[in-house]
């Protein structure tokens, strides 16, 4: 496992390392989880993308549905 402080840090890590899966919160500094998972989907389509979030905003949840394989509630 590797842990990153932000979406940008996660993308930088992925550019140098392979990952079978990525688990992202919806609320992060700089870019939210939906944007991160969209970028991961485009750059690394074989990586499984999971949202783990306690945020219940319907709009944000719907934004995550497309790029995520799974949405898990905290």
């Amino acid at each position: 496992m590797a842990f990153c402080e932000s979406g940008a840090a996660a993308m930088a890590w992925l550019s140098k390392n392979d990952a079978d899966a990525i688990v992202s919160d919806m609320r992060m500094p700089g870019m939210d989880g939906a944007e991160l998972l969209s970028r991961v989907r485009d750059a690394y389509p074989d990586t499984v993308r999971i949202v783990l979030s306690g945020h219940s905003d319907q709009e944000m949840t719907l934004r995550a549905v497309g790029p995520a394989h799974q949405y898990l509630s905290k």
Side-chain angles (χ1 to χ4, degrees), residues 24-47:
S24 176
D25 197 342
M26 283 301 293
R27 289 188 170 193
M28 297 184 301
M31 86 173 69
D32 65 23
E35 182 179 347
L36 171 61
L37 295 182
S38 291
R39 290 183 184 192
V40 172
R41 177 189 58 199
D42 294 342
Y44 311 99
D46 293 334
T47 301

Side-chain angles (χ1 to χ4, degrees), residues 10-62:
M11 290 302 295
W13 187 90
L14 285 169
S15 73
K16 297 177 182 132
N17 301 277
D18 292 329
D20 294 322
I22 182 169
V23 180
S24 176
D25 197 342
M26 283 301 293
R27 289 188 170 193
M28 297 184 301
M31 86 173 69
D32 65 23
E35 182 179 347
L36 171 61
L37 295 182
S38 291
R39 290 183 184 192
V40 172
R41 177 189 58 199
D42 294 342
Y44 311 99
D46 293 334
T47 301
V48 174
R49 300 169 304 275
I50 300 170
V51 173
L52 176 62
S53 184
H55 190 65
S56 62
D57 180 276
Q58 185 176 4
E59 178 185 340
M60 203 172 240
T61 300
L62 291 174

